[in-house]
Each structure stands twice: as structure tokens, then as C-alpha cells.
Amino acid sequence: MGWTTSPVSHPCAPSFLAKIIEHEASALRLTGDDWMHRLYPGISTPEAETGPCRGRVESLQWQIALRAIRLQCNVVVDWGVWSRAERDTCREEARAAGARVVLCFLDVAFDALWDRVSRRNAELPAGTFDISRADLLRWWKLFEPPTAEELALYDRQTHPAITAFK
């Protein structure tokens, strides 16, 4: 049985964990920003956030994730899932495809997250978007942290890369 995991945190924190899980668990990692930069070179942060491209990319990635799960591959979904409704849909569809579903919630304080983002912005890696403090604050307000009740709906985190972050 394949499994799917979604690192989720306040905006901008989960990608480093997704990359670790990808390598240590031989998983297919699907990261929206990576595809956005490859498919739409030069796209700006606001265009990527509010334009039609993001929805198309994430929808296609989700279809690929579900197919990979049916083929018993491990999958790491490294995008979105900021709302409970979105997480519920992904969890239910992944389970219906035969996956164990793990949600990695990284609870990071705003100031600590802004510090990480500003350091990253200073040496912006390829395939990433510059994130202003205003962007981060707007996204912070949109994010719905999972409750203990919601976290109980997911499978236990047993992979060493995941449990190391608890």
C-alpha cells in the first residue's frame, strides 16, 4: 500500500520537510511552485497566487498523486491544504485510492517563519517565489491550523523523517 503525506504549516514552512521525506521514503514529491516556475517562467508571486495557473497545476498534480497511489507509490503533496475543507477532501480521496494518509503539521510562530523567509529571500533559490512580509501576513490569516480532533483523523506518523520533527 502506498501512502500520501502533506506537510502543512503556516505558509512557507513545509517544503524542506517534503524534500527530506521524498528522498528518505522514495516518494514522488509534487510541489506546485516547482511546476509553476517551469511551466510559466517569470510568473510573479501575485500572478501565481491569484491567477488561474495555480489551480490548474495543483489539480493536475492531485490527479497524478492519486494515480501514483493506485500504483502503490508513496506521494508527498507539497502545496496548499491550508483549509480544513481542502485537507478533508484530499484525505478522503487519497484513502479511497488506497493510501495511508499522514498530515505533518509544523506549528511555527509568525516571527520565526518571517525570519526564515527573509533569509531565503536574500538568496532566492531557483524555483521559489519572493515572499514579502505583507504576502506572508495575508497568507497567515487565511491558514486554518488543524485541531487535535482533525489530526486524529490521519494515520500515525511512523517515518523517521516525519517523527523527527515532532
Side-chain angles (χ1 to χ4, degrees), residues 30 32 35-36 52-66 77 79 86 93:
L30 297 168
W35 285 35
M36 295 290 287
C53 302
R54 170 78 53 192
R56 290 179 191 139
V57 165
E58 290 180 0
S59 177
L60 178 59
Q61 286 184 335
W62 186 240
Q63 294 309 309
I64 292 168
L66 292 174
V77 175
W79 44 256
E86 185 179 18
E93 289 180 4

Side-chain angles (χ1 to χ4, degrees), residues 24-119:
E24 291 187 5
S26 298
L28 170 64
R29 178 177 55 91
L30 297 168
T31 302
D33 287 357
D34 290 352
W35 285 35
M36 295 290 287
H37 279 286
R38 296 291 297 270
L39 293 170
Y40 309 103
I43 192 168
S44 68
T45 301
E47 289 172 315
E49 178 186 357
T50 60
C53 302
R54 170 78 53 192
R56 290 179 191 139
V57 165
E58 290 180 0
S59 177
L60 178 59
Q61 286 184 335
W62 186 240
Q63 294 309 309
I64 292 168
L66 292 174
R67 176 68 180 137
I69 290 165
R70 287 183 189 102
L71 294 171
Q72 300 187 3
C73 297
N74 297 329
V75 177
V76 178
V77 175
D78 181 23
W79 44 256
V81 296
W82 289 357
S83 74
R84 166 76 187 257
E86 185 179 18
R87 291 188 296 269
D88 286 347
T89 298
C90 289
R91 185 187 66 254
E92 291 164 7
E93 289 180 4
R95 284 230 174 97
R100 289 182 56 251
V101 184
V102 174
L103 182 72
C104 304
F105 174 51
L106 307 174
D107 195 7
V108 181
F110 181 84
D111 288 335
L113 185 55
W114 173 243
D115 185 53
R116 286 189 59 231
V117 169
S118 351
R119 284 194 313 269

